[in-house]
Amino acid sequence: MKTIKAKIVGALALLVITVPHTFAVEDLRIEIDCPNVVLSWPSVDWSGETFIVQYRPDLSTNSTWTTLTNSMPADFGTNRTYFVHADMVQCSTNDYSGGGGGGGEPPGPESASQGEDSDWFQPMVVRKDGSLPPLPLAIYPPGIDLPEHIIIWPDGSFDAWTKELSEAYAKINAESQSDGSGGPQTENGGEDSGGSVSCGFYRVVRTGVWLYGLTNGTALSGIVTLPVEAGYTNGTLSSVTISANGSPIEGTAMLSAPLPGMLSFAVDTRRLLNGDYYFQANGVWTFDSTNEFDAAYTQFYSPVVFVTVSNQVTYPDWVEDYRDDLMLIKITSTLTNVDWQLDVYGETGNYVGSFTNHSDDGIIDFSWDLRDGGGVPQTDNTFTTVTTLAATGSPAVTETNPPLVKVVDNYPDQGLWMAARASYMPVTLGNYDLYTNTVNYFAQMGEAGGGCLPGQPYRNPGQVLVLSKATGMTNWAAMYRGFTNHNVRNFYFDGHGGPDFIGYGWENGEQRRTLPSSVVAEALGTTTANTNAARYRWVWIDSCSSALGSWPRTFGLGNRENVPLSSYTSRPGAFCGFTQDVYAWTGFHGVGFIDTKAIDFRGWFIYYWWFEGDALITAFDQAEFWSDFDDAQYLKVFGYWGLGWNTYNSKAEWPPSP
């Protein structure tokens, strides 16, 4: 083991690039052009992208990121953008230029050897695989366990990392500082004539949300990883979603807090039909606002990226749910005139049996009564299935199909309703009474359809539950208890919201009741797909971007549009929400009043769905036509479009009689 001596200890004139728990640009390079530090990174000329550059002296809890520049545009006429952090280096006769990041292959241990003539005068650390540039030993906390790293000493020798070495180094370093011998020193113990600069950390992020490395014209197949960059100077990144042609991709999870250090989506492109799509990411940042009427969040949408999806096997109509006596298998293949085999495995991986047949058009569509070859009912809560296709003249194709989860019909004898609105507009706005009267119809519809919770004293008959500063925690708690009451299976909410939360913001830095989707999912038992979840029949989250994230899954309703009744094994239902920022009730389309088009859209919907008895999608279409409400174009209806206002809302109505 190397004997550690005080004479080789000193501060290193090196600044380090790092991206811990951030969502930053790649290929960030650093150079020291004394007395300045020069950063550079890839950019696209005339792209309109802007950047945030931040610095911190260390990564301790007492250190925070300082923004050096905000909304910095990409440099013109080049594919790299440069930023100069001035006067960060104390110049000297020696040039202690160092670098972190940068292009080219990362140096291995042999390239980090320092030798007698090297300007490096402090122990350095590299990974054994050479995947990172040399970094000073001084920046690592003593006692940290880094078994995949090597310590390289100024004489060119090296040792494998151990806790004992790092602790001994820290002790000697502390002693040299306390006796006045600290500071840059040469190998022979003399004071070095060079200047120095403390270790520091930089990060650069593009403002907003960007699908990193995905370019127009990219062909995608199978399950792909799509990295994301996200950056904004205000607030905390709450969630990031991805959409294809404006709709979420079934089977692709939203990224939500606590977010990982590097963001990426695992997209199963097989859940889409083959063809062309525009992919787009959306990010939500939450922050403090000064009053309860301001939205306490902001959203950014990435530029759309044109891609082509191509798979030999796809699952656009896959039915994840199955019940005791019915499983539906729906698979589409580009191969025609094909022999197929579907192997079934139970939840412990045990082989259950196989189905075989021939398809002329590549469509596999059949049902199974969950009995094995001997007629014995199978009771597993999950199954895995594998499809093998064999076409004349083509290699065999084998795919593991998406998940299958058993459901039980735990619907109550009569499904109840909840209807609520947040107090997020001044009552002095014009048309305010017209707005509240229209929203109250949702509560009245629920009362006519089996009952609407909660009752008095939280709300009066014929009125929705009001969530406001005045009602405080009381009404929020009443609504939460409604979610724990699994007799409730219908829900309407109007107010501020996003892909994974609803609420009405903050006041003077104090949170005023924001409800995350994760809390609702826990109450409903839908955090993960499972047998006994309380799936809802109808939900409308009347908020910004509510259709992009986790809300449809929270209520057990999925992300597919216009699902036919014949594709349901569990009770049919529908989720309604928006895929963009909408200004339905904010009331600031005009000056001091609520836009009547927004009010009329809700009113006409109630009229056609409730009073006229139209199908759900027909009622929305009629409402859009008669109200001329612009934001209606962003409404998505996932699930069964033919749902009536109170159909399938009792235990006896499902499953339908043979």
Side-chain angles (χ1 to χ4, degrees):
M1 177 181 293
K2 173 65 63 177
T3 300
I4 300 177
K5 299 179 181 179
K7 64 182 181 181
I8 64 172
V9 177
L12 181 68
L14 175 70
L15 291 108
V16 181
I17 296 172
T18 186
V19 286
H21 198 75
T22 187
F23 325 107
V25 298
E26 293 189 1
D27 193 18
L28 176 60
R29 302 177 187 176
I30 186 171
E31 296 178 3
I32 296 178
D33 184 11
C34 193
N36 305 321
V37 176
V38 181
L39 306 177
S40 71
W41 58 88
S43 59
V44 180
D45 191 12
W46 295 102
S47 64
E49 58 190 11
T50 62
F51 299 91
I52 303 163
V53 181
Q54 294 180 317
Y55 169 82
R56 68 192 297 177
D58 56 59
L59 299 180
S60 69
T61 56
N62 296 324
S63 171
T64 59
W65 289 105
T66 299
T67 298
L68 304 179
T69 186
N70 187 15
S71 299
M72 177 182 176
D75 287 348
F76 294 126
T78 178
N79 60 0
R80 292 194 73 83
T81 293
Y82 290 81
F83 174 81
V84 177
H85 195 189
D87 299 324
M88 286 297 292
V89 180
Q90 298 175 13
C91 300
S92 69
T93 57
N94 291 332
D95 178 14
Y96 292 109
S97 297
E105 293 298 323
E110 66 281 356
S111 65
S113 176
Q114 299 160 1
E116 292 184 1
D117 297 328
S118 173
D119 282 336
W120 289 356
F121 50 85
Q122 174 161 314
M124 303 293 288
V125 176
V126 296
R127 286 185 59 89
K128 291 180 181 179
D129 60 9
S131 61
L132 288 176
L135 300 178
L137 177 59
I139 72 171
Y140 293 95
I144 189 173
D145 189 13
L146 296 173
E148 298 303 316
H149 292 66
I150 293 172
I151 301 175
I152 303 176
W153 306 100
D155 62 4
S157 63
F158 60 87
D159 283 307
W161 180 283
T162 67
K163 289 183 179 180
E164 292 77 14
L165 272 177
S166 65
E167 289 171 347
Y169 171 82
K171 180 180 179 181
I172 293 295
N173 188 41
E175 291 174 351
S176 68
Q177 297 293 331
S178 64
D179 65 12
S181 63
Q185 296 180 352
T186 62
E187 177 65 21
N188 63 13
E191 285 292 322
D192 183 76
S193 61
S196 67
V197 46
S198 299
C199 294
F201 298 84
Y202 288 90
R203 67 180 180 185
V204 177
V205 294
R206 284 188 286 188
T207 305
V209 181
W210 303 78
L211 289 168
Y212 183 82
L214 188 64
T215 58
N216 286 321
T218 301
L220 300 177
S221 62
I223 300 175
V224 297
T225 299
L226 300 181
V228 185
E229 294 177 7
Y232 191 54
T233 53
N234 295 330
T236 301
L237 183 61
S238 169
S239 64
V240 186
T241 61
I242 189 170
S243 61
N245 291 350
S247 294
I249 304 169
E250 190 80 1
T252 299
M254 176 187 72
L255 306 178
S256 58
L259 291 164
M262 301 301 290
L263 298 176
S264 64
F265 291 102
V267 177
D268 188 349
T269 65
R270 304 174 306 167
R271 303 301 295 269
L272 299 168
L273 285 168
N274 286 338
D276 297 333
Y277 293 89
Y278 289 96
F279 278 21
Q280 186 176 45
N282 162 264
V284 176
W285 279 260
T286 57
F287 52 86
D288 288 5
S289 64
T290 57
N291 62 73
E292 64 180 309
F293 304 125
D294 290 339
Y297 59 91
T298 190
Q299 299 192 63
F300 286 98
Y301 297 86
S302 74
V304 296
V305 182
F306 176 78
V307 302
T308 299
V309 171
S310 178
N311 292 287
Q312 286 187 302
V313 180
T314 61
Y315 307 93
D317 301 315
W318 186 255
V319 182
E320 179 177 286
D321 301 336
Y322 64 90
R323 61 177 187 249
D324 285 336
D325 60 351
L326 180 63
M327 177 186 292
L328 300 177
I329 299 295
K330 295 179 180 292
I331 302 170
T332 301
S333 172
T334 58
L335 299 174
T336 57
N337 192 27
V338 62
D339 294 323
W340 59 264
Q341 176 172 313
L342 185 125
D343 301 319
V344 182
Y345 301 89
E347 57 187 310
T348 62
N350 55 300
Y351 175 73
V352 176
S354 298
F355 299 90
T356 59
N357 211 325
H358 179 85
S359 174
D360 292 330
D361 57 7
I363 302 297
I364 302 173
D365 190 349
F366 72 97
S367 61
W368 178 37
D369 64 2
L370 270 75
R371 294 178 181 271
D372 65 13
V376 178
Q378 302 298 295
T379 60
D380 296 46
N381 289 326
T382 62
F383 284 99
T384 299
T385 58
V386 178
T387 301
T388 301
L389 306 174
T392 303
S394 300
V397 176
T398 300
E399 291 280 357
T400 298
N401 305 321
L404 290 161
V405 180
K406 181 179 180 179
V407 297
V408 296
D409 191 12
N410 54 12
Y411 209 78
D413 291 338
Q414 177 65 49
L416 302 181
W417 302 61
M418 280 201 303
R421 68 173 176 87
S423 177
Y424 63 111
M425 292 181 298
V427 298
T428 55
L429 288 175
N431 299 325
Y432 189 86
D433 289 343
L434 179 60
Y435 151 66
T436 56
N437 289 338
T438 301
V439 173
N440 284 337
Y441 276 118
F442 286 95
Q444 295 167 30
M445 180 172 60
E447 290 167 347
C452 189
L453 297 181
Q456 291 180 312
Y458 308 104
R459 70 172 189 91
N460 295 321
Q463 297 179 357
V464 298
L465 182 71
V466 178
L467 308 168
S468 68
K469 177 184 177 182
T471 60
M473 185 63 186
T474 301
N475 281 10
W476 279 98
M479 186 171 70
Y480 174 76
R481 287 193 297 272
F483 290 125
T484 64
N485 181 345
H486 292 173
N487 288 327
V488 177
R489 297 300 175 97
N490 306 274
F491 179 57
Y492 173 82
F493 172 81
D494 161 50
H496 287 316
D500 64 341
F501 70 93
I502 54 175
Y504 60 88
W506 300 62
E507 184 175 1
N508 297 326
E510 180 182 352
Q511 189 176 14
R512 293 296 180 184
R513 310 304 173 222
T514 298
L515 185 64
S517 60
S518 59
V519 172
V520 178
E522 185 176 1
L524 302 182
T526 58
T527 301
T528 58
N530 67 92
T531 298
N532 295 302
R535 291 167 171 81
Y536 269 43
R537 186 195 72 104
W538 178 74
V539 175
W540 185 2
I541 303 292
D542 202 349
S543 305
C544 295
S545 302
S546 57
L548 282 179
S550 56
W551 282 118
R553 191 74 178 185
T554 294
F555 291 98
L557 295 171
N559 296 118
R560 288 196 297 138
E561 296 182 81
N562 195 20
V563 180
L565 193 62
S566 59
S567 289
Y568 282 95
T569 57
S570 58
R571 186 175 297 265
F575 177 91
C576 313
F578 293 96
T579 59
Q580 293 280 339
D581 287 351
V582 293
Y583 300 93
W585 302 119
T586 58
F588 303 112
H589 282 198
V591 179
F593 62 88
I594 302 172
D595 192 345
T596 55
K597 290 182 179 181
I599 300 172
D600 289 346
F601 179 70
R602 277 74 185 174
W604 282 117
F605 168 73
I606 285 285
Y607 174 78
Y608 280 104
W609 200 41
W610 182 18
F611 295 120
E612 289 295 315
D614 286 351
L616 180 63
I617 198 66
T618 303
F620 276 123
D621 288 342
Q622 292 279 27
E624 181 179 5
F625 176 80
W626 290 108
S627 68
D628 194 28
F629 178 52
D630 291 339
D631 289 344
Q633 64 183 306
Y634 304 124
L635 181 77
K636 289 290 184 181
V637 179
F638 300 134
Y640 179 43
W641 283 7
L643 192 70
W645 77 275
N646 204 30
T647 54
Y648 304 114
N649 198 28
S650 65
K651 181 75 171 180
E653 291 178 275
W654 189 265
S657 301

